[in-house]
């Protein structure tokens, strides 16, 4: 969907480096999410945000940091990348007004950590 | 948290054959959402079920939510090559809008 964009699409970095993945949505959705997708594990929630300045941990938050200073942006930072964080990362957003809105996903960032 | 088990993990069919994937939970779910992810793509929302025994159809796709709201299924009639991908069920944790995904069923089709 053109309304949610992730950057970069591909990233290769080394262990110990800091990496930030960007996510931007134009729908003014209140909820935003970060998932990682690995073979055998499906989609796992890393962090989510209900609104600007409100974030909470998901299933696998260790090693990641998020912020949400503006409604439209939800960056994900790997403070000191490890090989186990090699994965495909998806950002998603939803209207989330309490009526179980569907989530809209970005195209993903394929991150390799050497 | 509430886990949903999805079976089978993989399914290979001949084009024209039917396909079904199942999603099971040990606890009652408030809702089920289904997503499709094409190879190399991102998950795309297909449908949401919220009522006990609910059945919804989208062309060749039929979605069901069990009477006890503990299981759901997606059935595709007469598969086409465009149906290739991974199908995920997911349910929302009430109050948090968090989705918990099943492991997905990867469908491949022999033309």
């Amino acid at each position: 969907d053109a309304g949610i964009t992730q950057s970069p699409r591909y990233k290769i970095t080394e262990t110990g480096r800091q990496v930030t993945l960007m996510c931007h949505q134009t729908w003014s959705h209140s909820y935003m999410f970060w998932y990682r997708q690995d073979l055998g594990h499906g989609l796992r929630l890393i962090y989510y945000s209900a609104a600007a300045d409100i974030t909470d941990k998901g299933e696998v938050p260790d090693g990641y940091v998020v912020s949400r200073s503006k409604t439209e942006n939800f960056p994900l930072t790997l403070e000191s990348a490890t090989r186990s964080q090699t994965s495909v990362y998806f950002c998603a957003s939803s209207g989330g007004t309490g009526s179980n809105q569907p989530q809209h996903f970005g195209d993903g960032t394929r991150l390799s950590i050497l | 948290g509430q886990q949903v088990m999805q079976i089978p993990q993989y399914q290979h069919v001949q084009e024209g054959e039917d396909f079904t994937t199942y999603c099971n939970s040990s606890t009652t779910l408030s809702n089920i959402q289904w997503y499709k992810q094409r190879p190399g793509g991102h998950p795309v929302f297909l449908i949401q079920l919220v009522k006990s025994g609910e059945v919804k159809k989208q062309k060749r796709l039929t979605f069901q939510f069990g009477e006890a709201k503990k299981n759901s299924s997606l059935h595709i009639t007469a598969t086409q090559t465009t149906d290739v991908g991974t199908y995920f069920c997911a349910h929302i944790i009430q109050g948090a809008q968090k989705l918990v995904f099943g492991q997905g069923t990867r469908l491949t089709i022999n033309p």
Side-chain angles (χ1 to χ4, degrees):
Chain A
D1 292 19
I4 183 164
T5 55
Q6 292 184 236
S7 61
R9 289 295 310 280
Y10 304 91
K11 177 74 176 178
I12 300 174
T13 190
E14 298 175 338
T15 56
R17 298 276 183 125
Q18 184 179 81
V19 179
T20 296
L21 309 184
M22 305 302 292
C23 180
H24 175 79
Q25 53 105 354
T26 60
W27 292 307
S28 298
H29 282 169
S30 55
Y31 282 87
M32 295 187 75
F33 309 84
W34 274 106
Y35 296 90
R36 60 178 291 173
Q37 185 172 36
D38 306 286
L39 282 175
H41 291 281
L43 287 151
R44 293 183 291 175
L45 183 65
I46 304 171
Y47 268 96
Y48 69 104
S49 168
D53 297 322
I54 300 174
T55 62
D56 207 348
K57 296 178 180 179
E59 183 184 356
V60 288
D62 293 345
Y64 303 94
V65 175
V66 293
S67 62
R68 187 131 180 245
S69 58
K70 293 183 178 181
T71 299
E72 61 266 30
N73 296 323
F74 191 38
L76 175 74
T77 298
L78 287 66
E79 293 188 298
S80 179
T82 65
R83 289 197 179 91
S84 65
Q85 292 177 309
T86 292
S87 186
V88 179
Y89 290 85
F90 287 101
C91 178
S93 71
S94 74
T97 56
S99 57
N100 301 330
Q101 297 296 313
Q103 291 188 11
H104 303 272
F105 286 78
D107 289 335
T109 295
R110 282 148 183 81
L111 177 63
S112 295
I113 305 188
L114 308 178
Chain B
Q2 289 179 297
Q3 298 294 321
V4 286
M5 302 302 296
Q6 197 172 346
I7 56 171
Q9 192 173 358
Y10 302 97
Q11 185 77 58
H12 180 77
V13 300
Q14 289 289 125
E15 187 175 16
E17 292 181 339
D18 292 356
F19 160 77
T20 305
T21 174
Y22 300 90
C23 190
N24 300 303
S25 171
S26 58
T27 59
T28 302
L29 304 173
S30 60
N31 60 80
I32 278 284
Q33 294 184 357
W34 286 92
Y35 290 78
K36 176 184 177 181
Q37 184 177 22
R38 294 181 185 274
H42 60 272
V44 175
F45 174 78
L46 293 176
I47 209 160
Q48 177 170 263
L49 307 171
V50 296
K51 298 178 182 176
S52 170
E54 190 170 14
V55 178
K56 288 187 177 180
K57 294 190 176 184
Q58 290 179 350
K59 297 182 180 178
R60 294 177 295 104
L61 277 62
T62 301
F63 304 84
Q64 295 190 17
F65 202 8
E67 293 290 342
K69 300 182 74 173
K70 289 185 176 181
N71 55 73
S72 182
S73 64
L74 159 59
H75 179 83
I76 302 178
T77 303
T79 55
Q80 299 175 359
T81 54
T82 54
D83 296 324
V84 164
T86 301
Y87 293 85
F88 293 96
C89 64
H91 74 97
I92 287 185
I93 302 294
Q94 287 293 74
Q97 294 297 319
K98 295 190 297 183
L99 274 179
V100 176
F101 281 85
Q103 297 296 312
T105 296
R106 182 181 174 190
L107 173 64
T108 55
I109 298 174
N110 203 24

